[in-house]
């Protein structure tokens, strides 16, 4: 396990404008140095829309763009997209590697308040991906509210959150991220969008990186920014060794 360099992209997404968002994010990343992982917000190509008519396929423009960007940056690039597959539409996180291979996670908890369950199919299971010896658990926005789904069963080192979380519930966002870091003795890396979407909902970002003790290492509110940080493998291992709380965790199974 080596230290991990992570780059958060807190972007002001263009509403239902796939090509425009590709160009905007590419511009934001143009001056970044070498990094292991680039984290984009939820539904980074379209904004958080229920308009599934603009859904893409797994060989569509956004997957092609992610594959190209991962290769050019020699980094894993991740974020979620609206994907249509076998008659279903998913809010799907893509974990794209530089060699063009990928993993995927479909959002489990659909946002009922926004009607997401009327247009999107729920995911069936959690996914753990690996990078430089780190085990990473990706979740999408509303998933954050469900601690059982996020519970570390000694199978991950970092909880990765991509979101379109609104400003009016930012207090909950900030507290939940800290709670997830502490209770799971894991780093939390959270990328949220900034700006107003196409239906008048304001997001202020509040993207952040939090260490396994709940200390905030980075946060930003209100700006379109790119930030790169280093996650320390030795600090994570030392924290878990000195405070082996995960050894006392409860065993359980999630019924899907």
């Amino acid at each position: 396990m080596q230290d991990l360099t992570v780059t958060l992209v807190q972007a002001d997404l263009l509403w239902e404008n796939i090509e425009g968002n590709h160009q905007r994010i590419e511009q934001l990343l143009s001056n970044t140095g070498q990094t292991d992982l680039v984290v984009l917000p939820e539904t980074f190509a379209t904004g958080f829309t229920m308009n599934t008519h603009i859904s893409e396929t797994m060989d569509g423009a956004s997957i092609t763009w992610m594959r190209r960007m991962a290769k050019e940056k020699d980094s894993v690039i991740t974020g979620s997209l609206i994907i249509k597959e076998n008659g279903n539409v998913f809010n799907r996180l893509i974990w794209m590697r530089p060699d063009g291979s990928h993993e995927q996670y479909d959002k489990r908890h659909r946002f009922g308040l926004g009607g997401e369950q009327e247009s999107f199919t729920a995911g069936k299971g959690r996914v753990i991906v690996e990078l430089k010896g780190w085990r990473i658990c990706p979740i999408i926005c509303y998933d954050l509210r469900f601690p059982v789904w996020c519970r570390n069963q000694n199978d991950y080192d970092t909880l990765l959150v991509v979101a379109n979380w609104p400003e009016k519930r930012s207090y909950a966002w900030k507290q939940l991220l800290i709670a997830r870091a502490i209770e799971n003795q894991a780093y939390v890396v959270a990328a949220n969008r900034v700006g107003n979407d196409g239906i008048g909902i304001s997001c202020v970002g509040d993207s952040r990186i939090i260490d396994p003790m709940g200390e905030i290492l980075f946060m930003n509110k209100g700006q379109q920014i790119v930030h790169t940080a280093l996650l320390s493998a030795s600090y994570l291992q030392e924290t878990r060794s000195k405070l082996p709380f995960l050894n006392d965790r409860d065993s359980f199974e999630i019924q899907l």
Side-chain angles (χ1 to χ4, degrees):
M1 189 177 188
Q2 307 170 50
D3 290 348
L4 190 70
T5 306
V6 177
T7 299
L8 286 179
V9 180
Q10 183 168 280
D12 185 354
L13 301 177
L14 301 170
W15 188 247
E16 298 183 355
N17 185 341
I18 293 171
E19 183 178 355
N21 283 313
H22 294 170
Q23 293 174 354
R24 172 163 291 185
I25 293 168
E26 194 164 344
Q27 176 73 34
L28 287 170
L29 290 171
S30 61
N31 294 320
T32 58
Q34 181 58 43
T35 187
D36 298 312
L37 174 63
V38 175
V39 185
L40 309 178
E42 177 186 23
T43 54
F44 69 84
T46 58
F48 188 62
T49 176
M50 299 300 103
N51 177 15
T52 57
H53 294 295
I54 61 170
S55 61
E56 302 183 70
T57 64
M58 288 299 291
D59 59 358
S62 290
I63 295 292
T64 301
W65 177 83
M66 291 183 79
R67 188 172 289 116
R68 176 175 64 83
M69 290 298 294
K71 183 177 181 180
E72 289 181 4
K73 294 293 181 182
D74 192 26
S75 309
V76 170
I77 186 166
T78 191
S80 86
L81 299 166
I82 301 174
I83 295 291
K84 187 172 185 178
E85 186 176 70
N86 299 325
N88 296 305
V89 180
F90 300 95
N91 187 340
R92 176 171 290 174
L93 179 140
I94 304 294
W95 177 270
M96 184 65 71
R97 302 183 184 94
D99 66 3
S101 65
H102 79 278
E103 306 290 340
Q104 61 194 46
Y105 162 72
D106 294 330
K107 187 177 184 181
R108 174 63 185 169
H109 300 90
R110 296 162 296 172
F111 183 52
L113 194 62
E116 191 176 11
Q117 78 285 356
E118 297 172 10
S119 302
F120 290 81
T121 300
K124 296 297 185 182
R126 214 166 68 162
V127 172
I128 305 295
V129 293
E130 293 193 13
L131 182 60
K132 294 181 70 175
W134 291 73
R135 302 165 302 167
I136 299 171
C137 179
I139 63 171
I140 302 174
C141 203
Y142 193 46
D143 287 330
L144 180 66
R145 285 189 177 270
F146 301 92
V148 174
W149 188 252
C150 299
R151 186 63 175 153
N152 188 357
Q153 300 185 60
N154 202 24
D155 58 354
Y156 73 78
D157 306 303
T158 298
L159 185 69
L160 186 147
V161 190
V162 302
N164 268 240
W165 198 285
E167 179 181 13
K168 56 188 170 184
R169 288 185 291 279
S170 62
Y171 180 82
W173 162 259
K174 291 180 284 189
Q175 308 315 307
L176 289 169
L177 290 172
I178 292 173
R180 298 294 166 265
I182 294 171
E183 70 195 11
N184 294 303
Q185 288 194 299
Y187 281 95
V188 170
V189 174
N192 191 28
R193 71 156 294 166
V194 70
N196 294 313
D197 68 15
I199 54 175
I201 295 175
S202 172
C203 296
V204 293
D206 275 322
S207 298
R208 49 196 58 204
I209 296 172
I210 303 170
D211 78 11
M213 293 295 289
E215 296 288 339
I216 298 170
L217 305 181
F218 166 77
M219 60 182 177
N220 181 276
K221 178 179 179 179
Q223 295 175 292
Q224 181 170 257
I225 59 145
V226 175
H227 178 80
T228 299
L230 189 70
L231 307 190
S232 170
S234 62
Y235 180 74
L236 175 66
Q237 292 163 343
E238 180 182 355
T239 299
R240 289 179 172 179
S241 176
K242 288 183 176 180
L243 302 168
F245 300 143
L246 289 177
N247 292 344
D248 302 323
R249 68 191 183 278
D250 297 309
S251 297
F252 61 90
E253 291 185 5
I254 297 174
Q255 301 296 319
L256 299 175

